[in-house]
Amino acid sequence: MHSGDRMRCLTRCSIFKAVAAMMLVVVVKICAAELDVAYYDFRCPDALAIVQGGVHAAMQRDARAPASLLRLHFHDCFVNGCDGSNLLDDRPGFVGEKTAAPNLNSARGFEIIDEIKQQLEDACPKTVSCADIVAAAARDAVFLSGGPFWDVELGRRDALTTSSQAAVNSIPSPRFNVPQLIKSFNAVGLDKKDVVALSGSHTIGIARCASFQARLYNQGNSGRPDSSLEKHYLAELQNRCPQSGDGNQTAFLDPCTPTTFDNQYYKDLQAGRGLLFSDEVLETTSGTTLKLVELYATDQTAFFTDFVSSMLKMASIHVKADSEGEIRRNCRIPNSVNAKGGT
Ligand code: HEM
């Protein structure tokens, strides 16, 4: 479905959804004590429409925007929970997540969140958290790229602080093997099925040569390329990323359909065309991950169903209780610093 049609469908569905959300509120409160799909229905009725509009506008300007927004949500949730901690700018005396190795020269989409936040502050001051904006934007990014739709749970509070080290400790490396990936997901309450389903996010977006260069020339210090790379794909990547070339050059994570959210990523893995080492190992390691890759490669509906359930799990990691957080006025600065006119 074209993204314009998807926007119209969202509008048509909104009245039904508002009623359904009111009915669902009781059920959801039982399932997820701190989050609620109807959280803004009365507090800021246009909140979700404003987020959707912002994501739609951003993707008209930049085809990569949905991928960057989806990744922002992942990097938010894995580090101290989904609390907008990765949106905080460094300032004198504070080094946050943005300049930590997994994000530096890599995480993007912050301006889109700023634009949406500004519109929300105009519509409903001090009401919609930055963490909720990121969660809703990630949902819209997936849907507007052709992926599944789901009701996003809301009511997160924004972190008061964070640290660079927290990002380094919690965000999995593209050089991780399957046991390391599972360990890193287990640390935030996710399991191996979540690893495989959520890695399917790499059906959209881009990576820098620095994230996979070692595979092309010297996998595991062997002096040779990773033998799991299909030979034409390897040649293509070596051409894009010369051994001593610029690590900030980029390649599509899914070379076949880079802006469409589909199950092509898993077919790529089966063809030896997984870009990151952490992608390809899901297929080359026998066991559960391989079985799931096989399932998702042949059954897009199974992928979408599992992806949505894993996204809901990820989106509810360590949601902050009232006093632990705040509704930031500016997603880049804690309110206490903002009030002092700090940087
Ligand atoms: C399983 C462990 C994961 C690892 C090791 C990993 C690693 C990476 C790396 C290294 C990049 C490229 C960064 C760069 O070179 O600048 C990337 C991009 C991306 N990742 Fe992951 N990732 C993982 C899981 C996830 C999850 C769970 C999601 C979302 C739910 C996600 C969404 C994305 C997206 C959409 C991009 C493209 C971003 C853009 O184009 O701006 N990843 N990932």
Side-chain angles (χ1 to χ4, degrees), residues 39-199:
Y39 189 80
Y40 293 112
D41 283 7
F42 297 105
R43 292 175 173 90
C44 187
D46 291 337
L48 287 176
I50 290 173
V51 176
Q52 279 155 14
V55 175
H56 188 252
M59 68 190 281
Q60 304 303 308
R61 298 191 300 263
D62 172 14
R64 190 181 170 187
S68 303
L69 290 168
L70 176 56
R71 186 167 183 242
L72 273 189
H73 184 42
F74 160 49
H75 282 206
D76 180 17
C77 294
F78 264 58
V79 184
N80 303 330
C82 311
D83 59 2
S85 56
N86 58 337
L87 306 179
L88 290 171
D89 279 347
D90 287 1
R91 56 182 191 274
F94 170 78
V95 182
E97 299 172 30
K98 279 185 180 173
T99 48
N103 292 319
L104 188 64
N105 297 325
S106 176
R108 52 199 299 285
F110 300 107
E111 296 76 12
I112 307 168
I113 301 299
D114 290 340
E115 277 172 31
I116 295 172
K117 176 64 171 170
Q118 189 54 59
Q119 289 182 45
L120 286 166
E121 284 300 304
D122 292 344
C124 324
K126 303 184 194 175
T127 305
V128 183
S129 68
C130 299
D132 276 349
I133 297 172
V134 174
R139 184 276 307 269
D140 294 330
V142 169
F143 182 65
L144 294 174
S145 301
F149 185 85
W150 64 96
D151 284 324
V152 66
E153 297 178 336
L154 300 159
R156 294 168 190 79
R157 313 265 303 161
D158 295 325
L160 304 174
T161 189
T162 184
S163 72
S164 168
Q165 195 56 44
V168 173
N169 294 344
S170 307
I171 295 174
S173 158
R175 282 167 284 280
F176 274 5
N177 59 26
V178 167
Q180 290 171 315
L181 289 169
I182 293 172
K183 190 171 170 213
S184 131
F185 274 57
N186 283 168
V188 293
L190 302 181
D191 59 26
K192 52 185 140 182
K193 192 171 185 179
D194 301 315
V195 173
V196 185
L198 292 176
S199 291

Side-chain angles (χ1 to χ4, degrees), residues 225-275:
D226 186 335
S227 58
S228 63
L229 279 161
E230 188 273 323
K231 69 178 192 315
H232 297 102
Y233 186 50
L234 171 63
E236 212 176 294
L237 292 176
Q238 285 179 331
N239 193 36
R240 280 198 84 78
C241 307
Q243 192 153 18
S244 51
D246 177 5
N248 288 318
Q249 271 288 348
T250 57
F252 291 126
L253 282 153
D254 167 6
C256 300
T257 56
T259 56
T260 305
F261 196 99
D262 55 15
N263 66 340
Q264 181 62 43
Y265 164 81
Y266 300 101
K267 297 178 190 171
D268 294 339
L269 298 187
Q270 291 183 318
R273 294 166 75 92
L275 185 61

